[in-house]
Amino acid sequence: MTEHIRKKRSTHRVPQFSWRLLLQQLNYIPRALRLVWKAARGWTIIFIGIMLVQSLLPVLTIYLTREVVDALVDFLNAGSQPGETALLTTYGILFGLTLILTAILGSAQTYVFTGLSEHTQDDITNVIHAQAAILDLSYYESAAYYDQLQRASVDATNHPQNLLYNLVGLFQRAITLIGMAGLLISYAWWLPLAVLAGTLPAFWVTMQANIVFQAWRMQNTTNQRRLTYFDKALTSDIAATEVRLFDLSTYFREAYHSLRKTLRQERLALARQQLVWQLGAALFALLWMGLALLWIGRQALNGLFSLGDLALFWQVISQGQRQMQAVLTSASDIYRSLFFLEDLFSFLALTPVITDASEPVRLADGLNQSLSMQNVTFTYADSDLPALDDFFLTIPAGQIVAIVGENGAGKSTLVKLLCRFYDPQQGAITWDGVDLRHMALADLRRRITVMFQKPVPYHETAVCNIQLGDWHNKPDLARVRQASQAGGADDLIQKLPKGYETVLGKWFGYTELSVGEWQRIALARAFVREASLIILDEPTSAMDSWAENEWLSRFRQLVVGKTALIITHRFTTAMQADVIHVMVGGRIVESGAHADLVALGGRYAASWRAQVREAGLPNGNAAE
């Protein structure tokens, strides 16, 4: 595993700092600030106001420190004269009020920024969810997409507000430093420059650390996702049964800890390198501060500075250097945030290929003539072999059509094309003579309902599980029960502890269903939608024979007035169709009614007789 990580890492180029790249990335700043403003306008105004007031308080504190010290010296020298006492008291009160205001605003700033962050993060997460929902299915078949999604949805969601925090902090500290420089420059013009020079190495350290960390993060996004995968395998119900049966916990724990150890060692190596750099920068800053203090001490010994001046110098130099370091750190953090914002906005810039036509064709409701696929060829992006090859199929309106074939024949691909999750590279799919690409996506998909081969077990109530099939129309309980009866799920739901209000699954509830029971729920979800075309991909694959027979006995009544397409391995299910098509290698090779195909003696007949023998019937003709 470690060897694989090293091979993967070697393909990445370590990013280098460049002013050109920085200028390009600066374009992300206004976009990020607009996100924050849109999500938390009121919080943003209050936050900026607090930060601006805070920018003046350190300068005021330093100034009052000098005045308090000088007033105290005059008070002691004058022997408690009323005028000196009043002055000392006034400065003391102002100094205390300044400290109190500093403490209050510090706490208020934390609270306000928390509110700003929560609103902004929620809004950005919503934007990411909306973006993910419109992207094509093909994105979800790319490991690079999952890396990009990880960096956008996990790593970058808090950086727009962090950018605002650092920008405002940069402005705040700049005001503070200008005030401090004004205090220092009256003593010596070069003192502000000395404070600045002492902090430049720290700026270089933080910038370089950001560049190195960004390189490491980009190289290890896939490995971070792999850690999540190992963790889910050990802690969720996704693989719980096989983990226990095959005793796989040791494998996944060792895989997790091996990878975690590698990443931890690399992260600590980066931290050690940064520690050495920071130590050198800190020693350099101390040297500069020491030289400045030596000069100030010499001036004080010559009687040029008062005790209050010394107190002011000490605070300005020590606090000024910290403020300058904070300014440079904020600039570095802004640079760091730009890397993350690049990930976020690159993800938001992804565009779907499957989109509406500029002027979609409006069709009459229903499927009134036929659904047709003519000369359709489709190949997945990561494959050299076509899933459908010069494919022809016509489904007349009102008919029940079955597609049978071996795994990999292209049956599920056919469903994806009919739903327009993909477009074919060649040929056309038409609905009543109109190419699907000329219809509005929402209009097309509203006309179709599908039970997919791998139904999704939604961890919601039973009624919600079924309502999700037609969520926008909010089907009532009567409609839900009707669909549930059509899918064969009503009886099992009625036996649940709270009936239709029972939360299914054990993530948030207490009732787990079998694979076949989840399949019945999915069938009910497909039937709840009033659609013109019903597509059922392996609708009875997980049902027991009793449930299958009961459902098949009334299937034709369920689809009266509809057009139905059944994808199945089970010929007992295919027999319900008006026409059966046999798929091999992405093409239709045989078509006809069940009896005609058996009589033909081709692929269908051979598979049918094999299934009959497996069922224990005396001969292949018994059920014909």
Side-chain angles (χ1 to χ4, degrees):
M1 181 174 295
T2 303
E3 182 179 349
H4 167 72
I5 296 169
R6 287 173 180 165
K7 288 179 180 178
K8 184 178 188 302
R9 182 171 299 118
S10 65
T11 63
H12 291 274
R13 182 175 62 88
V14 176
Q16 300 294 327
F17 176 80
S18 72
W19 289 107
R20 182 178 179 181
L21 176 62
L22 177 60
L23 290 174
Q24 291 175 349
Q25 290 174 324
L26 289 177
N27 292 325
Y28 297 128
I29 292 179
R31 296 179 63 185
L33 295 181
R34 282 196 295 270
L35 285 175
V36 179
W37 182 254
K38 176 178 174 290
R41 183 173 304 179
W43 293 94
T44 302
I45 293 172
I46 297 171
F47 176 72
I48 293 175
I50 291 174
M51 294 283 278
L52 291 179
V53 174
Q54 284 181 312
S55 67
L56 302 174
L57 294 179
V59 179
L60 182 59
T61 301
I62 293 171
Y63 170 77
L64 289 174
T65 298
R66 182 183 69 179
E67 299 305 316
V68 167
V69 171
D70 284 342
L72 179 61
V73 171
D74 292 341
F75 172 81
L76 295 175
N77 291 335
S80 305
Q81 294 297 320
E84 303 300 334
T85 302
L87 186 62
L88 177 60
T89 302
T90 300
Y91 281 128
I93 291 173
L94 290 175
F95 185 79
L97 290 175
T98 303
L99 294 180
I100 292 172
L101 183 59
T102 300
I104 292 173
L105 290 180
S107 299
Q109 175 199 317
T110 301
Y111 170 74
V112 172
F113 187 72
T114 299
L116 183 153
S117 297
E118 291 293 319
H119 282 80
T120 303
Q121 188 162 351
D122 287 347
D123 207 57
I124 292 174
T125 300
N126 182 54
V127 170
I128 291 172
H129 288 170
Q131 171 72 350
I134 67 170
L135 293 178
D136 301 325
L137 209 60
S138 58
Y139 281 103
Y140 291 85
E141 296 170 353
S142 165
Y145 168 76
Y146 286 107
D147 284 350
Q148 199 166 12
L149 179 62
Q150 165 90 9
R151 291 193 291 266
S153 61
V154 177
D155 298 337
T157 54
N158 63 336
H159 279 274
Q161 56 268 37
N162 286 350
L163 177 68
L164 172 68
Y165 183 91
N166 284 303
L167 283 172
V168 176
L170 190 66
F171 186 64
Q172 175 202 42
R173 294 182 181 97
I175 294 174
T176 301
L177 285 169
I178 290 172
M180 290 182 177
L183 293 175
L184 282 180
I185 204 167
S186 62
Y187 294 97
W189 64 267
W190 54 266
L191 280 175
L193 297 178
V195 175
L196 173 63
T199 58
L200 290 178
F203 173 70
W204 179 87
V205 166
T206 52
M207 292 291 283
Q208 188 63 27
N210 282 338
I211 293 172
V212 173
F213 174 75
Q214 173 66 5
W216 181 86
R217 187 178 72 91
M218 293 289 290
Q219 293 164 4
N220 285 287
T221 303
T222 301
N223 290 326
Q224 294 289 353
R225 288 196 299 108
R226 189 175 284 114
L227 284 178
T228 302
Y229 162 69
F230 292 149
D231 178 72
K232 291 292 185 185
L234 287 164
T235 60
S236 73
D237 62 347
I238 296 173
T241 52
E242 292 199 4
V243 165
R244 282 151 182 78
L245 178 64
F246 300 128
D247 193 18
L248 300 178
S249 65
T250 301
Y251 168 80
F252 283 113
R253 283 190 290 111
E254 289 180 352
Y256 179 92
H257 288 293
S258 174
L259 181 53
R260 187 71 188 90
K261 179 180 179 181
T262 300
L263 297 180
R264 181 177 67 247
Q265 289 174 341
E266 292 179 357
R267 192 72 183 89
L268 288 174
L270 294 179
R272 285 194 298 270
Q273 184 183 56
Q274 186 176 358
L275 176 63
V276 173
W277 291 345
Q278 287 175 335
L279 181 60
L283 292 175
F284 183 83
L286 286 174
L287 174 63
W288 275 97
M289 187 170 70
L291 292 175
L293 289 175
L294 283 175
W295 178 84
I296 292 167
R298 183 176 178 181
Q299 297 298 99
L301 291 175
N302 292 333
L304 298 176
F305 296 151
S306 68
L307 190 60
D309 290 329
L310 289 177
L312 181 144
F313 278 132
W314 170 254
Q315 289 204 56
V316 168
I317 290 176
S318 60
Q319 289 194 37
Q321 192 167 63
R322 286 198 297 269
Q323 290 285 340
M324 182 61 73
Q325 287 175 345
V327 165
L328 299 178
T329 300
S330 292
S332 174
D333 287 345
I334 290 170
Y335 181 58
R336 178 189 179 98
S337 290
L338 292 176
F339 284 118
F340 289 91
L341 291 172
E342 183 176 18
D343 294 330
L344 174 62
F345 291 120
S346 295
F347 175 78
L348 296 180
L350 296 176
T351 57
V353 176
I354 308 299
T355 58
D356 285 336
S358 56
E359 296 182 6
V361 176
R362 295 178 179 271
L363 295 179
D365 291 340
L367 178 62
N368 300 302
Q369 300 171 23
S370 66
L371 184 65
S372 181
M373 305 181 72
Q374 300 294 319
N375 189 229
V376 169
T377 296
F378 175 76
T379 305
Y380 289 101
D382 59 351
S383 174
D384 296 327
L385 298 175
L388 295 181
D389 185 15
D390 197 22
F391 185 84
F392 289 83
L393 174 67
T394 297
I395 304 174
Q399 275 201 358
I400 301 174
V401 175
I403 305 286
V404 298
E406 299 174 351
N407 291 330
K411 303 186 300 297
S412 294
T413 299
L414 171 62
V415 176
K416 294 174 183 177
L417 290 174
L418 291 177
C419 295
R420 208 178 164 224
F421 296 145
Y422 298 92
D423 283 335
Q425 286 94 16
Q426 178 181 315
I429 307 171
T430 60
W431 184 293
D432 286 344
V434 176
D435 195 310
L436 299 189
R437 288 169 286 204
H438 298 157
M439 298 175 64
L441 274 172
D443 180 35
L444 169 65
R445 292 172 183 171
R446 177 180 56 81
R447 299 165 181 262
I448 302 173
T449 189
V450 182
M451 193 211 82
F452 293 99
Q453 185 175 3
K454 296 180 180 179
V456 178
Y458 295 105
H459 291 253
E460 302 283 353
T461 62
V463 65
C464 181
N465 256 274
I466 298 171
Q467 286 176 326
L468 289 174
D470 196 18
W471 184 250
H472 291 290
N473 290 321
K474 299 287 190 297
D476 59 19
L477 184 58
R479 177 72 188 125
V480 166
R481 289 205 60 183
Q482 183 182 358
S484 181
Q485 290 164 357
D490 185 61
D491 288 342
L492 78 88
I493 293 175
Q494 296 288 6
K495 296 175 183 177
L496 296 175
K498 295 182 180 179
Y500 279 84
E501 295 302 322
T502 304
V503 177
L504 304 183
K506 292 195 174 180
W507 286 9
F508 313 111
Y510 305 96
T511 302
E512 186 56 272
L513 301 183
S514 68
V515 176
E517 289 171 331
W518 276 116
Q519 190 171 55
R520 287 190 239 174
I521 297 291
L523 273 170
R525 185 161 57 243
F527 280 120
V528 80
R529 172 178 283 199
E530 293 290 345
S532 306
L533 176 63
I534 300 172
I535 301 176
L536 305 176
D537 194 351
E538 299 292 354
T540 61
S541 61
M543 289 187 186
D544 56 58
S545 57
W546 294 277
E548 181 186 15
N549 290 333
E550 190 274 333
W551 185 75
L552 290 175
S553 66
R554 52 192 173 81
F555 172 70
R556 295 192 71 89
Q557 286 72 37
L558 297 175
V559 295
V560 170
K562 310 288 185 182
T563 304
L565 174 63
I566 306 173
I567 310 293
T568 183
H569 283 90
R570 293 191 177 186
F571 289 180
T572 52
T573 303
M575 288 170 62
Q576 307 302 314
D578 300 311
V579 179
I580 302 171
H581 300 284
V582 181
M583 279 189 71
V584 176
R587 293 185 176 186
I588 299 292
V589 296
E590 294 176 3
S591 299
H594 170 74
D596 297 333
L597 289 173
V598 172
L600 184 64
R603 285 179 175 270
Y604 182 90
S607 297
W608 164 251
R609 292 191 171 94
Q611 286 194 16
V612 169
R613 285 194 298 271
E614 289 175 6
L617 296 178
N619 58 68
N621 297 319
E624 293 173 17

